[in-house]
Structure formats: structure tokens, C-alpha cells
Amino acid sequence: MDSRTVGILGGGQLGRMIVEAANRLNVKTVILDAPGSPAKQINSVSQHINGSFSNPEDIEKIAAKCDVLTVEIEHVDVPTLKKMQKKHPHLKIYPSPETIELIQDKFLQKQHLIKNEIAVTESLSVDGASVEALTEIGEKLGYPFMLKSKTLAYDGRGNFVIKNKDMIPESLDFLKERPLYAEKWAPFKKELAVMIVRSIDGRVFSYPTVETIHKDNICYLCYAPARVPDSVQLKAKLLAENAIKGFPGCGIFGVEMFYLEDGNLLINEIAPRPHNSGHYTIDACVTSQFEAHVRAVLDLPMPKNFCSLSTFETNAIMLNILGDEKEKNKELEICQRALETPGSSVYLYGKESRPKRKMGHVNVIASSMEECERRLSYIIGEAKKPVQ
Ligand code: ATP
Ligand code: MG
Ligand code: MG
């Protein structure tokens, strides 16, 4: 479809699924990450770069080998990307380094959204983290509140819930030496997410609003579409679209939000890349989030109604397969049951099993959510009888 080579910073599962989508379109990919990383395992044609997406020299090496450079993770070295943009005038970098810079610092991201009049959770910067400073913040935000690392956060690993004043020293101990900010507690009914594709000319296309369920801060299930009234789905879609209109460049974005008890929606955070809450699109939509990303960064056509959920009333549940906490590879038993279950597909990422590590996911598709749940119940081992 395109003779240009797409370089990907990061070769984890998201990179792997971008490569899969690119392969189907005959689009060449080259990856920067550790040897044998998940994305490299499924592309033996290219000479990949061994190294790290946070190391300037390694980024220079991949920039010299591709026409379009993209990311599967936002924690990349932005100054080097900006330098590469100047050094290689023909190199396209999507999402744009400016967008990655705004998003990779979660506090900066919030300020940018507020500037664009997008509803977000109230946040305060924590400068000079001390018990006194956090006590003052606790008085302003009330308890509980969330202490968060501004940078390098994932799977809740940069977060600490401060339930009362006595927990402040412990939170500082936990997050010491990281740049911090505090966030008001969001009393949410549900967590929602919307995947948005932004094309080179700045148009935005949205996938349906979905519902994510987290366990220990890690996404566990994703229901598509979200089990909320149509009006809420629409409101979430518009909020996500408006938020992404404010970030230059193109590609796929994941927009996480809170659906509050009082009915309001607030953005939690944005990912400038494919997102866990969009994995269901591989089976539920004609064009997956990964293919949409490849199309967007290469400026390939994007038909308006490219996602089937709204038109075919498909229902989907995505289940993350996390490394078993007691026995290595025991999580494969879940995959085994998924293989026995109609309407279910298994995706494994080629990683070594470690407790709570994202090892793969299962998509369950059916004509009703009840049927998806029935199938899921067998897959997770709750129901003992296989689904016919
Ligand atoms: P990831 O990037 O993997 O989604 P992260 O480390 O960036 O995670 P967040 O998305 O900030 O972390 O938070 C993880 C989870 O913690 C949220 O999905 C939500 O369940 C809960 N959470 C975060 N912020 C708040 C808040 N202000 N109030 C209530 N719950 C929150
Ligand atoms: Mg995050
Ligand atoms: Mg998050």
C-alpha cells in the first residue's frame, strides 16, 4: 500500500499489533527495543535496532532507517525526536513530538486540556514534596486524594491513594524522587474510554465509547459498547473528540475518562498511541485501532464509518491475560478455555510469564452482552460447563 518504512519506538505488545496490521498492508516496519521484544518476534524481514526508545543514540539510528517514525509508548526521548525532525527534513514523526511532550507529563497534559476548556480532574502541582506541602493540599482537595507521578507512569505504578493525613509520609516514601502532582478524588460510577484517530489534516474519527474495569490499577476487562445510556456514550465521544482536536499531529489516541456519580464526565488521561481499551477493535470493528494508526501516520484513506460496532450492533468484551501470581504460565489455562469458546479469539504477546504482567488478551464477541458474559464466565473459570 505504501513503499515507505514505518519506524516504531517500542516493541511491546502494542508495537507487535501495529506490525501485524502493517504486514497485512505490505507496509514495512522497523523496531527499536530490546532484542527479541514482542514486535520484533513477528517481523524477521527488517534489520531492527537493539536499544532503548529513551536513548538518543538509538533513536538517531532508527530515524536514519525510516520515513515515518511513530511510537507505541509515550515515554520516549522527545528532545532527540525534535532534533531528528530538523536533521531529516523528509522524516515524518507522528504523533508529533510536541504532542508527546505535552502528554508524557500528566500534569502538563492536564494544563493543556484545561487551556482548551476540556473537563479534567482537578490537579495541583506538588513542588518540593514535603509532609507540610501535602497536608496543605489535603486541606484543599479533601480526602482521599491521589498522589501521582507526573512522568513515566503506567498501570498505576506512579499513583498512591492518600486516604487520610497519616498516610502522607508513606506516600512520599513510595513516590520519592519522582516529579509529583496531586489529583482530587473522582467518585466515579464507571470508567469509560474512547479511541480517536486523528488524520494528517486534523479530522478526528471516533470508535464507540467503551467501559473499562480495573483490578489493582491494571485494566482487567473492557466492555464495548459501554453499558451506559446512549446520551452518555455520545457525550463521552464528543468530549474525547474535542480533547484530541487540541493535539497537533496524527495517529490513534486513547482517551480515558471518569463517569461520575453526578452524571458528569471528566478526562483522566490521554495516551498518544494504541490503547488497551481499543484491543476489542481487532475483532469487533472492520478496521482495528492498529490499522487505523498505520493508515493515519501514512495518510492512507480513512472511510468515515470505518468501525462496525455502531452499525452492526456487535457486542464485545476484552479480557486481559495477566501473568499468574502463583504459578508461571498458569494463565494459559484461561487461553485454553477461550480456544474452546465460540466467538473468542486469543492474542498472546510472546512475553515471559511474570506475576500481573500483561501476557495477552482475549476478545469475546457475541450478538448480546449477556452472551459475551456467559462466554467470559467459562473462560475465567467461573462457569464450569463449556459454552456450546
Ligand atoms: P495507565 O497509563 O496504565 O492507564 P496510569 O499509571 O497512568 O495508568 P492512571 O490512569 O492515572 O494511571 O490511574 C490508574 C487508575 O487509578 C485509573 O484507571 C482509576 O481506576 C484510578 N484513578 C486514577 N486517578 C483517580 C482519581 N483522581 N480518582 C479516583 N480514581 C483514580
Ligand atoms: Mg497513564
Ligand atoms: Mg490510565
Side-chain angles (χ1 to χ4, degrees):
M1 277 316 302
D2 202 288
S3 58
R4 290 175 295 170
T5 297
V6 177
I8 309 172
L9 298 181
Q13 66 266 21
L14 301 176
R16 180 176 170 113
M17 291 184 273
I18 296 173
V19 169
E20 267 175 353
N23 282 350
R24 279 201 299 113
L25 295 175
N26 282 350
V27 169
K28 289 190 290 298
T29 47
V30 51
I31 294 129
L32 164 58
D33 210 332
S37 59
K40 290 183 181 178
Q41 292 169 18
I42 63 160
N43 177 354
S44 57
V45 184
S46 302
Q47 295 236 308
H48 300 297
I49 312 286
N50 289 331
S52 163
F53 43 77
S54 54
N55 180 349
E57 282 167 27
D58 298 333
I59 297 179
E60 291 196 19
K61 282 188 205 154
I62 194 171
K65 286 185 81 163
C66 60
D67 306 287
V68 177
L69 191 54
T70 190
V71 302
E72 63 129 32
I73 183 162
E74 58 273 31
H75 310 308
V76 298
D77 185 64
V78 170
T80 309
L81 288 182
K82 288 184 175 169
K83 201 169 122 194
M84 291 303 100
Q85 217 160 30
K86 289 208 183 88
K87 186 171 171 190
H88 305 284
H90 300 294
L91 175 70
K92 308 276 186 215
I93 306 180
Y94 298 128
S96 78
E98 291 72 25
T99 289
I100 300 172
E101 189 172 37
L102 279 172
I103 288 180
Q104 66 178 196
D105 179 322
K106 288 163 83 171
F107 187 68
L108 209 62
Q109 180 194 135
K110 288 236 158 58
Q111 289 185 311
H112 180 74
L113 289 168
I114 291 168
K115 204 174 80 196
N116 291 339
E117 296 179 4
I118 304 294
V120 295
T121 41
E122 187 185 339
S123 309
L124 295 168
S125 187
V126 181
D127 303 314
S130 64
V131 173
E132 294 72 41
L134 286 185
T135 307
E136 209 173 293
I137 285 176
E139 277 158 21
K140 281 189 196 146
L141 296 181
Y143 292 93
F145 72 91
M146 205 42 133
L147 188 63
K148 291 191 178 185
S149 173
K150 290 180 178 171
T151 57
L152 302 176
Y154 72 100
D155 289 345
R157 290 182 196 205
N159 292 356
F160 194 100
V161 182
I162 303 185
K163 294 185 183 147
N164 53 53
K165 206 169 157 234
D166 297 341
M167 287 178 83
I168 290 177
E170 188 190 345
S171 73
L172 286 172
D173 216 32
F174 182 71
L175 290 173
K176 62 175 174 254
E177 280 150 44
R178 298 183 73 167
L180 300 176
Y181 76 102
E183 218 173 86
K184 195 178 165 79
W185 190 254
F188 61 81
K189 252 197 289 213
K190 283 178 191 283
E191 289 191 78
L192 305 178
V194 182
M195 296 306 305
I196 304 276
V197 200
R198 195 181 142 115
S199 59
I200 284 171
D201 58 12
R203 284 178 302 151
V204 290
F205 303 84
S206 47
Y207 283 94
T209 303
V210 302
E211 175 184 341
T212 53
I213 296 170
H214 291 73
K215 241 194 208 172
D216 301 332
N217 280 294
I218 306 174
C219 177
Y220 174 56
L221 293 171
C222 174
Y223 281 73
R227 297 163 301 171
V228 295
D230 288 356
S231 59
V232 177
Q233 288 199 24
L234 182 65
K235 217 168 125 183
K237 167 190 151 87
L238 294 175
L239 178 61
E241 287 178 356
N242 285 335
I244 298 309
K245 280 179 191 160
F247 290 99
C250 64
I252 190 106
F253 291 81
V255 183
E256 299 176 14
M257 49 190 114
F258 298 124
Y259 174 35
L260 302 181
E261 307 275 2
D262 66 8
N264 281 323
L265 292 171
L266 293 179
I267 289 195
N268 170 26
E269 61 164 348
I270 292 175
R273 51 164 170 80
H275 191 259
N276 205 164
S277 70
H279 291 356
Y280 77 94
T281 61
I282 303 175
D283 293 295
C285 302
V286 172
T287 309
S288 75
Q289 62 162 345
F290 302 101
E291 183 177 337
H293 184 65
V294 172
R295 291 198 202 192
V297 300
L298 289 171
D299 198 15
L300 293 173
M302 198 87 71
K304 197 149 181 57
N305 293 314
F306 66 94
C307 107
S308 71
L309 256 175
S310 52
T311 41
F312 290 112
E313 296 182 352
T314 309
N315 287 274
I317 299 179
M318 187 241 25
L319 164 74
N320 264 346
I321 305 294
L322 303 177
D324 193 87
E325 289 182 60
K326 295 200 188 88
E327 194 183 323
K328 201 169 177 169
N329 291 322
K330 192 166 166 56
E331 65 277 3
L332 290 174
E333 290 174 11
I334 303 170
C335 302
Q336 185 77 36
R337 289 191 293 270
L339 291 179
E340 288 172 46
T341 306
S344 308
S345 29
V346 177
Y347 299 81
L348 287 170
Y349 306 149
K351 295 183 184 173
E352 198 190 325
S353 177
R354 270 194 241 133
K356 287 193 183 177
R357 194 178 195 196
K358 285 180 181 165
M359 302 301 298
H361 71 268
V362 172
N363 283 340
V364 183
I365 308 288
S367 55
S368 72
M369 206 50 103
E370 290 68 33
E371 183 56 23
C372 285
E373 283 183 315
R374 203 167 74 87
R375 293 173 183 185
L376 179 72
S377 170
Y378 176 69
I379 294 170
I380 60 176
E382 262 174 28
K384 298 295 169 218
K385 218 168 125 226
V387 179
Q388 297 305 310

